[in-house]
């Protein structure tokens, strides 16, 4: 089922997700819906908060992006990114590392808004997958960026928080207008 994506101005995007203790059938259904919603919106990642659920759960799939490479290491050895996708991250813990890397970023909760964001190049991840099994890996490139962006969502952090002051200033009108539209829509529906 495709779920409505919450947009900037919706308070749920600022809420930290609760840890998931058990992969119930409701969680499995939510994972399915997150993927369906993300693919329909042509995104590379989607966090539970973006569909109104305050949980430590995000989904990622970078396969559709051809022009921005990703790297993956499993047990210290280079591994195939595509066969590791799609990726479910439950209760993820990350350790970013490497040099700061700047690249374009967007967010499905901020339609039509893009900016360059600087984040560490690599990230070490431990999490549970969709079957509740513990996974550990190291990612670089787009995959690292997507993981850091999604884990931010799980902690109520948005990419505008990591924008340069100059970019944020130049996007001020668009951000305020989006926030206002979201508030009006929330009022109508609630
Ligand atoms: Zn996002």
């Amino acid at each position: 089922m495709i779920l409505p994506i919450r947009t900037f101005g919706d308070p749920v995007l600022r809420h930290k997700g609760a840890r998931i203790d058990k992969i119930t059938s409701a969680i499995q259904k939510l994972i399915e819906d997150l993927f369906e919603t993300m693919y329909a919106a042509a995104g590379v990642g989607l966090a539970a908060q973006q569909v109104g659920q305050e949980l430590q759960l995000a989904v990622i799939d970078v396969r559709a992006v051809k022009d921005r490479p990703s790297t993956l290491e499993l047990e210290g050895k280079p591994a195939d990114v595509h066969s590791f996708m799609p990726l479910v991250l439950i209760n993820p813990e990350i350790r970013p590392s490497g040099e700061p890397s700047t690249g374009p970023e967007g967010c499905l909760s901020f339609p039509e808004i893009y900016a360059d964001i600087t984040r560490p190049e690599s990230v070490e991840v431990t999490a549970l997958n969709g079957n509740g099994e513990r996974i550990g890996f190291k990612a670089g490139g787009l995959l690292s960026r997507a993981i850091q962006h999604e884990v931010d969502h799980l902690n109520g952090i948005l990419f505008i928080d990591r924008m340069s002051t100059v970019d944020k200033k130049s996007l001020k009108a668009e951000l305020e207008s989006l926030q206002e539209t979201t508030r009006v829509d929330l009022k109508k529906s609630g």
Side-chain angles (χ1 to χ4, degrees), residues 3 6 9 20 27 30-32 41 53 59-60 72 74 77 88-89 101 105-106 112 134 138 145 160 167:
L3 304 171
R6 306 301 184 91
I20 294 173
I27 295 290
L30 178 58
I31 291 170
E32 240 172 70
Q53 301 285 329
V59 299
I60 288 174
L72 176 69
L74 293 173
K77 294 197 190 85
V88 177
L89 297 176
S101 154
E105 235 172 83
E112 313 287 315
R134 182 153 292 281
K138 186 172 179 182
R145 179 172 293 281
I160 51 168
D167 281 350

XYZ file of all heavy atoms in Angstrom, residues 3 6 9 20 27 30-32 41 53 59-60 72 74 77 88-89 101 105-106 112 134 138 145 160 167:
208
model
N 1.647 4.800 1.069
C 1.224 5.645 2.187
C 1.499 7.116 1.860
O 2.430 7.416 1.117
C 1.999 5.252 3.450
C 1.901 3.784 3.866
C 2.891 3.485 4.989
C 0.478 3.445 4.312
N 4.708 12.299 4.789
C 4.630 13.508 5.624
C 5.656 14.524 5.144
O 6.785 14.153 4.824
C 4.882 13.167 7.094
C 3.971 12.066 7.635
C 2.498 12.440 7.505
N 1.650 11.428 8.112
C 1.242 11.459 9.389
N 1.591 12.451 10.183
N 0.480 10.498 9.858
N 7.145 20.451 8.342
C 6.107 21.181 9.065
C 5.253 20.223 9.874
O 4.602 20.607 10.836
N 12.646 -1.063 17.983
C 11.721 -2.151 17.674
C 12.234 -3.418 18.340
O 13.362 -3.842 18.110
C 11.613 -2.321 16.140
C 10.955 -1.070 15.535
C 10.853 -3.595 15.781
C 10.935 -1.031 14.026
N 4.944 -4.813 11.667
C 6.224 -4.245 11.218
C 6.546 -4.735 9.800
O 6.982 -3.962 8.944
C 7.381 -4.630 12.196
C 7.152 -3.996 13.576
C 8.737 -4.243 11.628
C 7.313 -2.492 13.659
N 4.531 -2.809 7.461
C 5.052 -1.445 7.348
C 6.284 -1.407 6.434
O 6.435 -0.493 5.620
C 5.378 -0.887 8.742
C 5.978 0.523 8.796
C 5.056 1.556 8.139
C 6.273 0.932 10.247
N 7.157 -2.408 6.545
C 8.350 -2.482 5.688
C 7.926 -2.560 4.224
O 8.437 -1.833 3.371
C 9.235 -3.698 6.082
C 9.865 -3.466 7.464
C 10.319 -3.952 5.038
C 10.556 -4.693 8.068
N 6.961 -3.428 3.950
C 6.430 -3.568 2.581
C 5.894 -2.231 2.071
O 6.177 -1.818 0.949
C 5.248 -4.543 2.621
C 5.372 -5.774 1.780
C 4.200 -6.706 2.098
O 3.054 -6.371 1.739
O 4.450 -7.746 2.741
N 7.590 6.979 -5.282
C 8.047 8.373 -5.253
C 9.446 8.514 -5.859
O 10.016 9.605 -5.840
C 8.045 8.894 -3.821
N 5.176 7.154 11.372
C 5.434 6.139 12.411
C 6.730 6.474 13.135
O 7.783 6.558 12.505
C 5.564 4.753 11.778
C 4.333 4.305 11.010
C 3.191 3.892 11.912
O 3.417 3.390 13.014
N 1.977 4.099 11.461
N 14.088 2.134 5.117
C 14.387 1.273 3.970
C 15.210 2.075 2.967
O 15.067 3.302 2.864
C 13.108 0.713 3.309
C 12.313 -0.127 4.296
C 12.233 1.823 2.722
N 16.063 1.361 2.231
C 16.977 2.004 1.272
C 17.117 1.113 0.043
O 17.155 -0.120 0.155
C 18.365 2.227 1.931
C 18.274 3.358 2.966
C 19.442 2.538 0.880
C 19.504 3.590 3.787
N 30.492 -0.956 -0.879
C 30.054 -1.800 0.235
C 31.195 -2.714 0.656
O 31.923 -3.238 -0.191
C 28.856 -2.644 -0.219
C 28.318 -3.653 0.785
C 27.642 -2.963 1.964
C 27.335 -4.609 0.102
N 31.781 -6.051 3.283
C 31.240 -7.019 4.239
C 32.417 -7.763 4.844
O 33.239 -8.325 4.103
C 30.296 -7.995 3.538
C 28.989 -7.409 2.993
C 28.234 -8.448 2.167
C 28.111 -6.885 4.115
N 35.754 -6.921 3.342
C 36.030 -7.202 1.928
C 35.007 -6.510 1.031
O 33.820 -6.475 1.362
C 35.955 -8.708 1.670
C 37.031 -9.493 2.374
C 37.161 -10.889 1.767
C 38.069 -11.757 2.615
N 37.354 -12.415 3.732
N 16.877 -3.138 4.536
C 16.011 -2.744 5.652
C 16.909 -2.503 6.862
O 17.748 -3.348 7.176
C 14.995 -3.867 5.997
C 14.153 -3.477 7.206
C 14.104 -4.168 4.798
N 16.766 -1.371 7.504
C 17.558 -1.059 8.702
C 16.622 -0.870 9.888
O 15.810 0.053 9.903
C 18.389 0.210 8.494
C 19.464 0.181 7.401
C 20.122 1.551 7.269
C 20.511 -0.894 7.680
N 32.542 14.765 2.741
C 32.253 14.721 1.317
C 30.956 15.504 1.068
O 29.976 15.339 1.791
C 32.118 13.254 0.910
O 31.302 13.116 -0.212
N 21.652 16.591 -2.254
C 20.724 15.769 -1.491
C 19.321 16.338 -1.625
O 19.135 17.552 -1.707
C 21.135 15.765 -0.008
C 21.342 14.374 0.543
C 21.928 14.368 1.952
O 21.156 14.516 2.899
O 23.161 14.197 2.082
N 18.368 15.434 -1.665
C 16.969 15.839 -1.608
C 16.298 14.981 -0.554
O 16.953 14.141 0.066
N 10.900 18.972 -4.323
C 11.497 20.003 -5.184
C 12.593 20.814 -4.496
O 13.063 21.803 -5.052
C 10.450 21.001 -5.706
C 9.168 20.372 -6.272
C 9.395 19.721 -7.620
O 10.046 20.341 -8.458
O 8.947 18.567 -7.802
N 20.912 -9.830 12.825
C 21.898 -8.766 12.982
C 22.775 -8.680 11.733
O 23.274 -9.691 11.254
C 22.741 -9.037 14.228
C 23.775 -7.970 14.531
C 24.091 -7.906 16.021
N 22.957 -7.411 16.791
C 22.625 -6.111 16.883
N 23.320 -5.199 16.247
N 21.592 -5.747 17.601
N 30.132 -1.915 5.977
C 30.643 -0.563 5.803
C 30.215 -0.075 4.424
O 30.275 -0.838 3.454
C 32.176 -0.568 5.916
C 32.771 0.828 5.898
C 34.269 0.796 6.203
C 34.831 2.228 6.155
N 36.274 2.256 6.404
N 25.749 8.075 2.129
C 24.977 9.322 2.261
C 23.509 9.017 2.578
O 22.900 9.623 3.457
C 25.099 10.119 0.955
C 24.333 11.435 0.947
C 24.657 12.247 -0.305
N 26.033 12.706 -0.312
C 26.476 13.772 0.381
N 25.649 14.471 1.122
N 27.744 14.120 0.338
N 17.799 19.840 6.257
C 17.961 21.298 6.366
C 18.823 21.668 7.578
O 19.452 22.722 7.588
C 16.607 22.042 6.467
C 15.730 21.435 7.570
C 15.878 22.041 5.142
C 14.525 22.300 7.915
N 22.804 28.362 1.946
C 21.768 27.595 1.236
C 20.423 27.716 1.940
O 19.378 27.863 1.315
C 22.156 26.107 1.169
C 23.180 25.837 0.081
O 23.436 26.758 -0.729
O 23.725 24.722 0.051
